[in-house]
Amino acid sequence: MSYETITVERIGAITRIALDRPEKRNAVNDQVHAELREALAALERDDSARGLILTGTGDRAFCSGQDLSARTPPKDGRPVRDLGAGLEKSYNALVRRLRDLPMPIVTALNGVAAGAGAGLALAGDVMVAARSASMVISFARIGLVPDAGVTHHLPRLIGEGRALAAALTMEPIDAEKLQAWGVAWQVVEFAELPAASLALAERLAALPPKAVVGTRRLMRSALGNDLNTQLAMERDLQRECGFSQDYGEGVNAFLEKRPAKFTGR
């Protein structure tokens, strides 16, 4: 399928999806949502796919959030559009789909991630940021609360106090601070971002898929579970991994002092 607002590139077992509206700072509209749904559905059907890189086109923006040029604001307090219903259909569905994708997601933060764009950036598993990139939680500027998963992901990464201050002051969080606060794993020069994010995605893709997906589930549930619930989850997921061929391959490769070749079985 050909796309107009995103680009999709396959590099070995890795798929790179880039928001591609640089003239709009890669802002999201209904067409972007539709094309992302199609691209992610194709990725889910592809048994040979082992990883996703999510990024933006250009050096200005990863994603500047919702494209407001298509929005009609309320007049005299009368609503024109139910933003909650639209959110459930669009961003909520997209964030859930990204979080449930059965492969690791590397966010390559090439520029500013603002508003809902921050939510998309935070929906990945590991972030590599260009030194010139930043994040701005800018919803209050237009009279809205943060959405697209920002209030779930950001406090867990940087703490409630920092997340609240970021949302209320709307001050940009630069790449170095994103790394210091635990949001970005790696910060590189802009020119190095494609290679660095691909190297990381390939490194994650080489891991056994069941272990990757299980580890993601455990880490994401940890703050909401008590100890006994978390121990039970570890037990159940370890049982599943322990019956996999990849576990046997991993043990044999360790004992034979050779690189393991995981197949996902």
Side-chain angles (χ1 to χ4, degrees), residues 1-242:
M1 177 179 177
S2 61
Y3 300 99
E4 296 180 0
T5 65
I6 66 174
T7 61
V8 180
E9 180 184 11
R10 187 63 180 265
I11 311 168
I14 307 301
T15 298
R16 179 185 283 136
I17 297 178
L19 302 175
D20 190 19
R21 303 182 74 211
E23 74 287 353
K24 292 286 189 178
R25 296 170 65 87
N26 297 324
V28 177
N29 60 12
D30 290 345
Q31 186 175 356
V32 174
H33 277 293
E35 293 187 2
L36 283 174
R37 283 195 298 270
E38 174 62 30
L40 292 174
L43 193 58
E44 291 165 346
R45 295 190 297 265
D46 187 349
D47 293 335
S48 65
R50 297 289 292 271
L52 169 65
I53 298 171
L54 186 62
T55 190
T57 299
D59 60 0
R60 296 178 63 202
F62 169 81
C63 174
S64 59
Q66 175 64 36
D67 186 350
L68 297 177
S69 64
R71 289 278 177 89
T72 303
K75 295 180 180 179
D76 301 323
R78 292 174 296 180
V80 176
R81 179 175 181 177
D82 182 345
L83 294 187
L87 192 64
E88 185 63 28
K89 180 181 178 181
S90 57
Y91 288 103
N92 289 3
L94 176 57
V95 170
R96 289 188 184 107
R97 192 162 205 164
L98 288 169
R99 295 298 273 185
D100 291 340
L101 199 68
M103 64 190 69
I105 302 174
V106 172
T107 301
L109 199 69
N110 57 298
V112 64
L120 297 185
L122 294 169
D125 297 311
V126 188
M127 181 185 293
V128 181
R131 201 169 303 280
S132 55
S134 62
M135 185 173 289
V136 186
I137 313 303
S138 54
F139 298 86
R141 185 169 291 124
I142 57 172
L144 297 178
V145 299
D147 59 27
V150 169
T151 63
H152 177 85
H153 297 134
L154 197 61
R156 284 165 167 77
L157 290 167
I158 69 175
E160 179 184 328
R162 284 173 172 166
L164 181 58
L168 295 181
T169 66
M170 295 174 284
E171 293 182 4
I173 309 170
D174 63 33
E176 282 74 15
K177 191 170 289 185
L178 287 173
Q179 185 177 37
W181 286 359
V183 180
W185 176 253
Q186 184 181 9
V187 174
V188 299
E189 298 302 326
F190 175 79
E192 300 169 4
L193 184 64
S197 57
L198 178 59
L200 178 57
E202 289 176 335
R203 178 180 174 185
L204 300 181
L207 296 172
K210 285 183 183 294
V212 171
V213 172
T215 300
R216 174 200 277 168
R217 286 183 58 192
L218 287 167
M219 293 299 181
R220 290 175 181 171
S221 64
L223 292 180
N225 287 340
D226 59 27
L227 176 61
N228 286 334
T229 302
Q230 194 69 10
L231 289 173
M233 280 192 67
E234 290 178 352
R235 175 201 64 211
D236 294 344
L237 288 168
Q238 200 70 295
R239 177 182 292 124
E240 182 179 342
C241 288

Side-chain angles (χ1 to χ4, degrees), residues 47 50 207-209 245-246 249 261-265:
D47 293 335
R50 297 289 292 271
L207 296 172
Q245 292 182 22
D246 278 345
E249 166 62 11
K261 297 180 180 179
F262 299 115
T263 63
R265 295 193 293 270

